[in-house]
Amino acid sequence: MQEALLNTGFNTKLNSKLNSNLNAEAVAIASSQSSTKLLSQESQTELQTELQTYSPNEVFFCPEESHFYAQCIEKMLLNQGTEAITAVEFGAGDGSPVIHSLLKAPFAGEIHGFELNAAACELAQARIQQYRLQGKYFVHNHCFFEGLKSKNPEYLIANPPYIPAPDDDICMPALHGGVDGATITKKLLTLDCDNVMLMISAYSNPIDTIEHALSQGYQVSDFMVTPLQFGYYSSEPKVRNWITEMRKRREAFYSANIYFLAGVLFQKKRHAGVDLSAELLQVMTAL
């Protein structure tokens, strides 16, 4: 779940910024690999126009969080080795984080994303074609849990829904992460995949989430943390009031201005080295 900043001209500005970032990455790759063709200005304009037709209540993304998720994918998946591995992604969204990371780092394997939102899936597939990543990144418009059965992946990655609320009657119900924001995250940690890279919010019961991972035989092998402002979805009064109540129960940690978002690599203990769970907990509960 990516958190969007609330501002004037929200959707058009964010889409323009994101596409500029992706196009810059594509041009950089093209200049260093003579076999790669430069993207045409016409096709770039067509895709950008298409992206601007969706509101943040239909297809949601934020350049700040998407960029951080992409950095986590690059560091904790793409840079883990040169072998051809298979990874699955829960909730691919518009595909921009994975695309961004694949444009920066070599990867011999495949990433299969699953996205139930048909509009987001359409955007992701258009971007994959736009940046010539067919054969590396596939986004399927059906249930992740059904698709997982046929993939036998080495890695599972996700920026799962982490908005906490008493129910899903919020401005974008698909972003509801359960009453504490961690329900889907914890479910992903029960699937017994050897390597799981997840985004975890400090206002979505991080203590219980990390303790749950440990109980499932995982340890924290690596993590990255970034500060984010409360944005469009978490600033909805119903949500923000609920987060305030969670803070009183030490289930949410944040300051007046920011919260921490972590990208965390959980690995089964037989594959992992040093366990960094204590350090991660210390950071996530610091505010």
Side-chain angles (χ1 to χ4, degrees):
M1 196 285 298
Q2 301 154 325
E3 186 60 49
L5 296 180
L6 183 61
N7 55 47
T8 305
F10 176 87
N11 202 42
T12 299
K13 289 183 179 180
L14 294 190
N15 275 310
S16 298
K17 181 177 179 182
L18 183 57
N19 278 307
S20 295
N21 290 342
L22 286 173
N23 289 337
E25 295 294 349
V27 170
I29 296 297
S31 65
S32 63
Q33 298 177 0
S34 58
S35 61
T36 304
K37 296 180 180 179
L38 289 174
L39 302 173
S40 72
Q41 185 63 41
E42 180 181 358
S43 60
Q44 292 174 16
T45 302
E46 288 175 354
L47 181 59
Q48 183 167 324
T49 300
E50 179 184 7
L51 292 175
Q52 292 173 355
T53 64
Y54 294 97
S55 79
N57 287 345
E58 294 175 294
V59 174
F60 139 109
F61 60 83
C62 163
E64 290 80 5
E65 188 169 335
S66 292
H67 184 66
F68 178 64
Y69 180 34
Q71 289 179 318
C72 293
I73 294 169
E74 183 181 355
K75 182 176 187 285
M76 291 182 261
L77 170 61
L78 305 188
N79 290 343
Q80 291 300 304
T82 57
E83 66 274 11
I85 63 172
T86 298
V88 291
E89 181 185 28
F90 174 88
D94 64 12
S96 56
V98 170
I99 291 172
H100 188 90
S101 62
L102 287 172
L103 290 173
K104 293 184 66 178
F107 183 61
E110 296 181 352
I111 301 175
H112 290 266
F114 295 86
E115 177 55 57
L116 290 176
N117 183 324
C121 185
E122 182 181 356
L123 292 181
Q125 291 168 349
R127 282 181 167 144
I128 289 168
Q129 183 176 3
Q130 179 81 5
Y131 297 102
R132 297 178 171 86
L133 292 172
Q134 306 97 319
K136 289 185 179 293
Y137 188 28
F138 308 84
V139 176
H140 310 278
N141 186 209
H142 59 261
C143 176
F144 168 84
F145 298 101
E146 291 297 320
L148 179 65
K149 299 174 183 177
S150 64
K151 298 304 177 187
N152 192 30
E154 289 87 4
Y155 276 77
L156 188 163
I157 63 173
N159 187 8
Y162 60 73
I163 290 290
D167 54 58
D168 67 357
D169 185 18
I170 55 178
C171 64
M172 193 169 185
L175 302 183
H176 185 231
V179 294
D180 67 350
T183 299
I184 297 174
T185 299
K186 289 188 284 188
K187 184 173 183 179
L188 295 173
L189 288 165
T190 65
L191 299 177
D192 203 36
C193 186
D194 284 346
N195 308 281
V196 182
M197 197 282 287
L198 301 174
M199 310 301 281
I200 295 177
S201 165
Y203 65 63
S204 302
N205 208 355
I207 296 176
D208 190 59
T209 299
I210 295 167
E211 289 178 349
H212 176 76
L214 297 177
S215 75
Q216 295 297 311
Y218 289 101
Q219 63 186 48
V220 176
S221 295
D222 198 3
F223 67 89
M224 298 169 62
V225 177
T226 192
L228 290 177
Q229 297 178 8
F230 285 90
Y232 182 77
Y233 303 102
S234 57
S235 293
E236 182 181 359
K238 177 179 180 176
V239 172
R240 191 61 186 268
N241 292 339
W242 189 257
I243 293 172
T244 300
E245 293 302 313
M246 288 177 60
R247 188 181 191 184
K248 296 175 183 177
R249 302 190 296 268
R250 285 188 56 79
E251 295 176 352
F253 303 86
Y254 57 91
S255 72
N257 300 311
I258 62 168
Y259 68 95
F260 287 148
L261 183 68
V264 184
L265 177 61
F266 297 99
Q267 292 185 304
K268 289 291 186 177
K269 293 178 181 178
R270 62 182 178 273
H271 299 296
V274 176
D275 182 16
L276 301 175
S277 57
E279 288 83 352
L280 176 61
L281 276 169
Q282 187 174 7
V283 172
M284 296 299 278
T285 59
L287 298 178

